[in-house]
Amino acid sequence: MSLTSSSAVVRRLVVSPGHAPSPAEPQRLVATPAALSAVLRAFGRPLDRLPVRTAVYIGGPARELPSVHEGFTIRTERSPGRALRRAARELHDGTTDLAIVAGFAEPDPGTITVHAVRRAAEAVADSERIIGLLDLTTGGPDDLPPVRPLSHGHRETGPDRHRLLLWSGRDERDEARVRGELLSVLDGSHSEAFPALPTAVPCGTPPGPVRGAAVTVSALAAASVHKAQPVRTGRPRQIALLFPGQGSQHTGMATGLYRRDPVFTAAVDAVFAHMGEEGRRVREDWLTPGPPRIPVDDVRRAQPLLFAVDYALGRLVLSWGVRPAALLGHSAGELVAATLAGVVSLGDAVSMVMSRVREAVRIPEGGMLAVAASEERLSPYLTGEVVVAAVNAAQQVMLAGPAAPLAEVRERLRADGLTVVDVPASSPFHSPAMAPAAEQVEADYRRIPLREPVLPLYSGYTGTLMGAQEALDPRFWARQITDTVRFKDALEELLAIEDVLLIEAGPRQTLTAFARRHRAVRLGASAAAPLLPARPGTGEADRQSVLTAAARIWTEGHDLDMRAVSGLWTWSADRARTSAALAGVPG
């Protein structure tokens, strides 16, 4: 089921900003600027880390309140119930990203009850601790809406579904003992109990440095555990996430995770919700078997869908407890990386994607070529219209330009014996042909608030770590559709800082292949692993591939949130139910 019509309460507490009134002469607390400051700081979070579109909703008596306080919009209603209901409406029309709702003189005359409320799908995608969902279907406008428990999906018990088995020991001998105990449990368990077995053994103790992992189904579990090679972990390499761009998409990509993992599903739904009616059409083309109404390689499908899948995969990895040391996106993937790094809110990032798409379709048809050659080798083939679009590796360069000139260059390259592959793209991204689109996109981006990244973010356009000057510049983001992608340089700088485990959060393993050509990866100092299969396959293949990546992170020496990881085989949205028609959420 979709959570996109619901509002989630993620924090709730009672604030006493001053001395309690005398029981003999109770005095109702009134909203004042000083009280607003107490409300804003109630959750102990730095104000500059609250979403840009945070609003404070006051319910109850107020006195001389400004419309803006400490940079945040203030809205007033005569009762806490009205304030909560207004907050829910404005969350879902995009006015607000975080609603701090303060009920003054609630529950006592001298206290304030404060709720932090978010769009439910985004709260689930962010792995927030959700108290419950607001039920807006009952009571009058002044009544406080009840908070119902979150019921998102149901328990899955299919033994033929791939799952992850993890174990560890203090040393090799202890690992062998633990593995033996796990094998005895597997031999003695009925297949129906297989999904419910603990994710990691031994239970209740910190993981040891000698680790094993198996991705398997019930019938093959014992054999898989027996054959798995134990790994002695040392100091684990930090994890960096890679996000691919257009050209990596394919029909049905990652559909095996949708409605089969709660975080991935909620994140995709949240992205599509921000796209409005177009999001419904993109989702339908993605999930419906058979030819789509608009082909997946068309920019109108490729970029919105890639953003949704890349973003949801990134959120999935973060839900496992992974905190990346760096983020790097290729082309359109850089906007996904920026969203996860806090440069732009999810809703604004989706607006940026849709602006790119809207302007790109107005540009005459063009395309892109992948050529197995160096940038220097290709210099004689370039024209004023056909240019280097991306430098991905020492011998992997992409060219772009309008259709007719690009076709001429393609024939010249092939005639000279170079290997050339057409990139699945219908627009000449990263070429001068996109300049008119970039001008309009920049005008759109000037209305979007930008922030400095809170995670290290490497840019494929500067080839280095992104600083405030780039992150806060609308022109920098707009010119990305005309400028050359320097992925090779950005990856070079990232891997020069420290040895890392690169995880590609996107389809087709394109960036994994580029990374494996890098000297640091070839020599084993760093490593690269994909989340999704290299080519289209079954839904079960998608889940098996993601679990294999989780196993790789575990054997690297990182600890995982076992409950979150287990969602891939214990959760399903099929037949999902929620409490009595919560806010009209569709099933």
Side-chain angles (χ1 to χ4, degrees):
M1 55 151 269
S2 170
L3 292 172
T4 54
S5 298
S6 289
S7 299
V9 177
V10 295
R11 296 290 299 276
R12 180 171 54 187
L13 51 82
V14 176
V15 178
S16 299
H19 296 294
S22 166
E25 298 182 14
Q27 199 171 30
R28 293 192 72 196
L29 194 62
V30 175
T32 62
L36 286 182
S37 295
V39 167
L40 282 168
R41 289 164 175 77
F43 297 114
R45 188 171 174 183
L47 298 189
D48 62 357
R49 294 271 53 92
L50 293 175
V52 172
R53 291 189 176 88
T54 295
V56 181
Y57 296 79
I58 302 300
R63 181 186 303 133
E64 299 178 356
L65 287 185
S67 59
V68 176
H69 181 71
E70 297 196 52
F72 298 102
T73 300
I74 307 300
R75 309 189 197 281
T76 58
E77 293 288 341
R78 70 186 187 193
S79 69
R82 286 182 182 270
L84 272 168
R85 292 172 191 274
R86 180 177 178 181
R89 289 195 308 272
E90 295 186 353
L91 279 167
H92 290 282
D93 67 17
T95 304
T96 302
D97 288 326
L98 172 66
I100 299 177
V101 185
F104 275 75
E106 293 286 340
D108 302 312
T111 60
I112 311 166
T113 298
V114 185
H115 294 79
V117 188
R118 296 188 61 195
R119 290 179 283 266
E122 291 176 35
V124 171
D126 290 356
S127 303
E128 288 256 29
R129 184 181 67 86
I130 295 175
I131 295 172
L133 305 184
L134 291 177
D135 182 354
L136 303 176
T137 64
T138 62
D142 287 303
D143 295 328
L144 282 173
V147 178
R148 309 292 190 192
L150 171 68
S151 178
H152 182 220
H154 72 99
R155 189 163 183 79
E156 177 67 41
T157 58
D160 296 328
R161 195 162 164 182
H162 280 85
R163 63 155 293 170
L164 190 57
L165 291 170
L166 306 174
W167 63 94
S168 66
R170 296 183 299 275
D171 51 32
E172 283 75 8
R173 184 175 179 178
D174 191 42
E175 182 275 331
R177 177 189 63 78
V178 172
R179 186 195 302 237
E181 293 177 355
L182 175 58
L183 286 169
S184 67
V185 170
L186 294 173
D187 288 339
S189 296
H190 191 278
S191 62
E192 293 296 329
F194 180 66
L197 293 175
T199 304
V201 293
C203 302
T205 60
V210 181
R211 300 186 176 191
V215 178
T216 183
V217 295
S218 177
L220 303 175
S224 299
V225 170
H226 181 74
K227 290 189 298 184
Q229 294 297 313
V231 177
R232 173 170 281 278
T233 65
R235 177 178 175 271
R237 290 170 289 197
Q238 294 295 306
I239 292 172
L241 296 181
L242 305 179
F243 300 95
Q246 186 162 346
S248 296
Q249 73 281 350
H250 62 74
T251 301
M253 57 182 175
T255 52
L257 305 178
Y258 188 72
R259 302 178 70 85
R260 292 293 180 270
D261 180 87
V263 170
F264 181 90
T265 302
V268 168
D269 284 345
V271 172
F272 288 156
H274 282 295
M275 295 179 189
E277 183 60 24
E278 182 62 15
R280 184 192 64 78
R281 290 190 284 265
V282 174
R283 179 181 182 273
E284 186 175 291
D285 267 354
W286 178 47
L287 296 177
T288 303
R293 287 180 298 181
I294 297 178
V296 72
D297 294 337
D298 189 297
V299 66
R300 292 171 292 171
R301 287 294 175 268
Q303 295 219 358
L305 191 49
L306 268 172
F307 181 90
V309 169
D310 285 7
Y311 175 78
L313 288 170
R315 281 293 173 202
L316 178 60
V317 174
L318 295 180
S319 76
W320 298 343
V322 172
R323 290 296 171 263
L327 304 168
L328 169 60
H330 187 289
S331 185
E334 185 156 316
L335 191 51
V336 178
T339 306
L340 295 174
V343 173
V344 63
S345 72
L346 177 61
D348 287 334
V350 171
S351 295
M352 293 170 78
V353 171
M354 301 312 286
S355 176
R356 289 170 61 134
V357 170
R358 187 170 55 251
E359 299 307 320
V361 298
R362 298 175 180 171
I363 301 298
E365 185 178 358
M368 308 178 81
L369 303 173
V371 188
S374 68
E375 184 176 7
E376 294 73 20
R377 174 73 174 84
L378 295 178
S379 179
Y381 299 90
L382 304 180
T383 69
E385 296 178 294
V386 177
V387 300
V388 171
V391 181
N392 299 320
Q395 295 294 319
Q396 210 291 324
V397 172
M398 291 170 61
L399 305 181
L406 192 66
E408 293 177 7
V409 170
R410 181 196 299 113
E411 296 310 310
R412 288 174 55 201
L413 290 166
R414 286 176 174 166
D416 290 346
L418 278 77
T419 300
V420 182
V421 177
D422 288 317
V423 175
S426 57
S427 299
F429 278 101
H430 312 300
S431 79
M434 298 298 293
E439 292 177 7
Q440 184 56 53
V441 165
E442 182 180 346
D444 293 344
Y445 287 5
R446 291 198 176 279
R447 295 190 289 269
I448 290 176
L450 302 167
R451 285 181 166 178
E452 295 183 43
V454 296
L455 292 173
L457 174 59
Y458 287 80
S459 172
Y461 296 92
T462 64
T464 187
L465 192 66
M466 187 183 297
Q469 181 177 352
E470 296 85 20
L472 301 177
D473 183 5
R475 181 172 176 78
F476 169 77
W477 295 102
R479 295 297 301 179
Q480 291 191 357
I481 63 178
T482 60
D483 291 355
T484 302
V485 177
R486 298 286 173 182
F487 180 80
K488 173 180 173 290
D489 294 343
L491 183 65
E492 184 78 43
E493 177 141 336
L494 193 164
L495 295 179
I497 300 299
E498 62 178 327
D499 298 334
V500 298
L501 172 60
L502 300 163
I503 300 292
E504 182 176 2
R508 214 185 277 280
Q509 303 186 9
T510 305
L511 302 187
T512 301
F514 295 156
R516 286 173 176 168
R517 299 180 190 181
H518 192 281
R519 186 172 183 271
V521 177
R522 286 189 284 108
L523 295 178
S526 291
L531 278 176
L532 291 177
R535 55 188 58 85
T538 65
E540 194 60 29
D542 287 344
R543 294 187 287 275
Q544 185 178 4
S545 184
V546 169
L547 288 170
T548 299
R552 179 70 182 80
I553 293 171
W554 163 263
T555 55
E556 178 70 27
H558 294 279
D559 295 337
L560 299 171
D561 183 325
M562 301 304 173
R563 185 186 61 81
V565 173
S566 69
L568 278 160
W569 66 88
T570 62
W571 185 91
S572 174
D574 292 342
R575 306 187 308 278
R577 296 182 297 274
T578 56
S579 307
L582 287 176
V585 178

